[in-house]
Amino acid sequence: MAFFSQIADAFTLCSQPPAERPVRTTADPPMAPEDALKLLKDGNRRFVRGCPWGSATKDAARQQLVDEGQAPHTAIIGCADSRAPLETIFDAMPGDIFVLRNAGNTCTHAEGSMVGSLEFATGKLGSRLILVLGHTKCGAIYGATKTYLDAGGAGKKAGCALEGLLQDLGSVAQVAAEEMGAGASSDEVAAHAVKVNVFHTMNFLLKFSQSIREGVRSGQIEIQGGIYHLETGSVEFLGKSPAQKELLESAMPLPPSMVVPGDADRGVHGVRTGADERVPSDLALKMLKDGNERFAVGAVTASKTSGDMRKALVKHNQAPHSAILGCADSRVPVDTVFDAMPGELFVLRNAGNTCTHAEGSMVGSLEFCTGKLGTRLILVLGHTQCGAIAGATATYQSGASQAPGCALEGLLQGLASVAKETSEELGPNASQDQLVSHAVKVNVFNSMNFLLKFSEPLRELVRKGELDIQGGIYHLDTGRVQFLGRSPRQAELLASQLSLPPSMALGAIRTPQDGTLEPKLALKNLKDGNERFVVGAPIAKVHPNMREALATKGQAPHTAIVGCADSRVPLETVFDALPGDLFVLRNAGNTCTHAEGSILGSLEFCTGALKTQLIFVLGHTNCGAIKGATAAYLASKDAKRKKASQALEVLLSELGSVAAEATEEEIATAAVKLNVLHTMNFLLQYSQPIREKVRSGELEIQGGVYDLKSGRVEFLGQSPMQSKLVNSTTKAAPSLQQAIGGA
C-alpha cells in the first residue's frame, strides 16, 4: 500500500501545473508556519522528481508585486554556494521566500545584517517561518573544520577575511569533533558540522534577537532547520532547535558586534545627530585634539555603529561638530585620525587639501555645512610628505609654464603660487625637503585665506563669532596633528567684498528663483552668447553646485528654441548657454511637420508651466532637410506625385511646400529662411495658448538663421504674418484635430 501511496503522491505532485501560478503580495493574509513549511516540502519534492511548476511570471503578476508589495511566507538563511539556488530547490515563485545567503549560512561576520533582515521580514513583511538551510559538502564548513583540526584547536591571527570566517566557524567544528569522537575522520566531522552549524545559527537568532524571541514565544514565528543534499536534491528537515526553550529566556537585545558602549560625548543616540545641541568651536577643537591623541597612542574609542545609531542618523539628520578640508592621500583617513564616529565630521578631501580647481565645490559644501548643518569649526588639514605639494614645488622649480596637458598638470600648476611663496620665504639655499615641508604649511593657510576671501556667508559667521576657521598639519610619522590656529590674515580678509570664487564669478545657472526673463533681455542673451561663440571667448562653465541647484530648484529657461537636429548646430554651444538657459527642441529641418503635436505641446508646456517668454525658431545654412525638400519639389511638377514610402520622404515632401514659395533662383538661399517663417506661422496658427500669450504681450516668437561658415546667427525678428495669425481660431494642429474632436 505504501508503494501505491507513493505513486499516487508522485502523480499528484507531477500533475499538470496551474495555468498561471499566483504570486504572494500584501493582499494575501500571513501564512501559518505549518502551511508555509508544507509549501516548501511540496516544492522540494517537485524539484527532486523533475516536475517543477516553474517560476515564470507574466507582466501583470510582476506589476502586482510592485503595486501591492511583498509578503513572503518564509524567510530563509541559506549558503551562497552556487549549487544550492533556494528558489529553484523549493520551486518557489517570486514573492514566496525572503532569501538571505552567505558562505556557511551563518550569522558569523554578518550577524547585524542577518538578524536585522530577519526582524524586517518577520516584523514588517509578516513572514511567520524562518528556515536555516545548510547543505552537504559545504566548502565553508569543510574549510572551517580543516582549519580547526589542523590547528589542533589553537587559534592564530587571521591573515585575511576568509581566514577570519573559517576561524569564527571553528566553534562549530569544535562541537562537531567532540560529538563525533576521537576516531572520526575529518570528512565525518565536517559532514556532522553542517548540521551543528544549522542549529548554531538557529540558536544565535533566538539568543540575540528580542523581537524574534517574542514572535516564537507567542507562536507567531517558527524557526526550523534543514539540510539540502546535493547528491539527491532533497531537503532533510530538522525541525526546531533542541535548545529553543532555554534560549527563549535570553535577555540579549542585540548581536555582540552591535553592542556599543555609551559615550555622552558621542550624542544622545551614541552618534551625533540633529537631535544634539550644536557644539561651540572651542569644544569642537578640543574634541578633535582629544580624538587625535587617542589615535596617536593607540587607545581609540570609536566603536562599530549599531542599527539604531544608523537609524538615528537617518531620522534626525546630521549635525557634525567640525568640517574638515583634508588631503585625499590614503595615509590620512580623516575620521580615523580623529577617532571619530559617523556623524561627527563633515569631510571634504582632494589632492593637496586645496580649493584650486575645486573651489566652487569646496566653498559651496562648507557654506552648506556651516549654514544648514550648524557646524561651527572648519579645520584645513595638510600633512607631511604630501605628494601634491611636492609635485607642485618641483613643477614651479622647473620653470614650466606651458598649458597643462592633463588634469594633473593643471592641478600642480594651480598650486604653483604656494610653491612660489614658499621659495620666496625660505630663500634660494633651501633644500627640496625644506621647501616641501614649508609649502605644506603655506598651503594650509592659502586654503584658509581662500575661504575667507571668496565666501561672504563664511565671513559673516566668522565676524559674528559663530564660526572659527583653523589650520593643522598631520604628521605621518607620529600620527599627531600640529594645530596651527587661525590665519594671520584673517582680520584683513574679513573686509573682502568678494562673494564667489573666481571660476564662478561668470555665468550663473537659471532656476525658478531667478524669475521670468522678459523677451528683449532673453533675445539679448542669445545675441551676446552667439557673439562670444563667434569670437572664441565663451564663458559657460558648469560647476557641481550649479547642477545641484538645477536638480533641487528646477528649471526656468529664458528661451525655448526650435532648431535643426544637424550635428553641426549644437544650440547650447552656438549661444554659449549654461544648462537651464535654453529649452531645446530639435528635428530635421526645424519644422513642426510630422511632429506638430510634440513640438506644440512642448512649447505650450515651456511657455505655460515654465513661464518662458521667448520662442526662437532657428534654421541654418546648407540644411540637408531643406535641400532634400527643394530637390524633391523641383524633380516633380506633379502636385499629386506618388505617396511617400518612408518617413524621410514624407518629411521632404511636406517641406516641398515651403520650397514652392520661392522662385527657382531663390530656392538655394531663401528656402531656409522661408522654413523658419513657416514654422513660426505654424505655431501661431495652431496653438491657442501660444496665440493668447503673444496677443497679451507675455510671449514673443522670433526667428533666425545660423551661418555654418561664420558661426553667426542672423536674427530675423517676428513673422510678417503675425498680426494676422494671432487672430486665428484654430485650436489644434491638423494631426490632432481628429483626436480631440475637431478644431
Side-chain angles (χ1 to χ4, degrees), residues 251-492:
M252 299 294 293
L254 289 171
S257 68
M258 301 178 75
V259 178
V260 181
D263 186 344
D265 290 338
R266 301 291 190 189
V268 295
H269 295 285
V271 287
R272 279 199 57 77
T273 71
D276 297 300
E277 296 291 332
R278 297 297 179 260
V279 178
S281 59
D282 56 346
L283 180 55
L285 188 62
K286 182 180 184 298
M287 293 171 73
L288 291 181
K289 290 179 177 179
D290 291 346
N292 177 243
E293 183 61 23
R294 293 193 300 270
F295 167 75
V297 300
V300 296
T301 61
S303 52
K304 295 179 181 178
T305 55
S306 68
D308 286 341
M309 291 177 178
R310 290 188 291 273
K311 289 176 182 176
L313 286 168
V314 173
K315 181 178 179 180
H316 300 289
N317 209 339
Q318 59 177 318
H321 62 67
S322 300
I324 298 185
L325 172 54
C327 185
D329 194 302
S330 62
R331 300 168 293 178
V332 193
V334 173
D335 294 281
T336 305
V337 164
F338 292 107
D339 188 29
M341 290 281 286
E344 294 184 5
L345 304 180
F346 189 89
V347 179
L348 306 170
R349 296 175 67 178
N350 62 21
N353 48 277
T354 176
C355 292
T356 304
H357 292 287
E359 50 193 41
S361 170
M362 294 298 173
V363 176
S365 297
L366 290 172
E367 288 177 353
F368 166 78
C369 185
T370 56
K372 299 296 184 182
L373 304 182
T375 301
R376 295 179 179 177
L377 176 66
I378 295 175
L379 178 72
V380 178
L381 185 67
H383 68 92
T384 57
Q385 301 179 49
C386 177
I389 299 299
T393 302
T395 298
Y396 171 74
Q397 289 180 315
S398 71
S401 60
Q402 71 272 17
C406 62
L408 174 59
E409 291 178 4
L411 171 66
L412 298 181
Q413 289 182 20
L415 286 169
S417 62
V418 171
K420 181 177 183 292
E421 182 179 342
T422 301
S423 183
E424 291 172 350
E425 288 184 3
L426 296 185
N429 297 323
S431 67
Q432 176 72 8
D433 287 345
Q434 290 174 321
L435 286 170
V436 173
S437 178
H438 188 59
V440 168
K441 183 177 182 179
V442 171
N443 185 53
V444 168
F445 285 123
N446 190 65
S447 292
M448 295 165 66
N449 294 341
F450 190 99
L451 299 177
L452 289 164
K453 185 175 183 179
F454 293 110
S455 173
E456 176 57 28
L458 296 183
R459 285 195 301 269
E460 182 61 22
L461 289 172
V462 173
R463 291 189 198 106
K464 294 192 304 186
E466 297 178 7
L467 175 66
D468 200 1
I469 302 178
Q470 299 258 350
I473 297 174
Y474 172 69
H475 290 260
L476 292 177
D477 53 345
T478 66
R480 283 188 163 85
V481 173
Q482 173 191 356
F483 290 87
L484 303 176
R486 299 168 182 163
S487 166
R489 297 184 57 198
Q490 177 168 302
E492 166 200 346

Side-chain angles (χ1 to χ4, degrees), residues 72-295:
H73 58 67
T74 303
I76 302 180
I77 296 181
C79 185
D81 196 301
S82 63
R83 300 168 294 178
L86 300 186
E87 290 85 351
T88 305
I89 288 170
F90 293 110
D91 191 25
M93 288 287 285
D96 281 351
I97 56 178
F98 188 88
V99 175
L100 306 170
R101 296 174 67 177
N102 63 19
N105 46 278
T106 176
C107 290
T108 303
H109 286 291
E111 51 192 41
S113 169
M114 291 296 181
V115 176
S117 298
L118 290 173
E119 288 179 351
F120 170 74
T122 55
K124 300 296 184 182
L125 304 182
S127 302
R128 295 185 58 191
L129 176 65
I130 296 173
L131 177 70
V132 178
L133 185 68
H135 68 92
T136 58
K137 304 297 182 182
C138 177
I141 299 300
Y142 274 64
T145 302
K146 185 177 187 305
T147 297
Y148 171 77
L149 295 176
D150 289 349
K156 63 177 183 177
K157 186 176 180 180
C160 63
L162 174 59
E163 291 179 3
L165 172 66
L166 298 182
Q167 287 181 19
D168 282 347
L169 283 170
S171 61
V172 170
Q174 180 181 0
V175 171
E178 291 172 353
E179 292 183 355
M180 292 298 292
S185 67
S186 177
D187 281 352
E188 289 172 333
V189 172
H192 184 58
V194 169
K195 182 176 183 179
V196 171
N197 184 53
V198 168
F199 285 124
H200 183 268
T201 299
M202 295 166 66
N203 295 342
F204 189 98
L205 299 177
L206 289 164
K207 186 175 183 179
F208 293 111
S209 173
Q210 182 173 333
S211 67
I212 290 177
R213 283 196 303 272
E214 290 175 352
V216 173
R217 287 194 200 104
S218 67
Q220 286 298 306
I221 299 173
E222 278 191 17
I223 303 179
Q224 298 264 351
I227 297 174
Y228 172 63
H229 290 265
L230 294 178
E231 303 84 355
T232 65
S234 65
V235 173
E236 174 189 359
F237 290 88
L238 303 176
K240 302 174 183 178
S241 167
Q244 176 171 301
K245 183 177 180 180
E246 170 193 348
L247 292 169
L248 286 178
E249 302 303 318
S250 171
M252 299 294 293
L254 289 171
S257 68
M258 301 178 75
V259 178
V260 181
D263 186 344
D265 290 338
R266 301 291 190 189
V268 295
H269 295 285
V271 287
R272 279 199 57 77
T273 71
D276 297 300
E277 296 291 332
R278 297 297 179 260
V279 178
S281 59
D282 56 346
L283 180 55
L285 188 62
K286 182 180 184 298
M287 293 171 73
L288 291 181
K289 290 179 177 179
D290 291 346
N292 177 243
E293 183 61 23
R294 293 193 300 270
F295 167 75

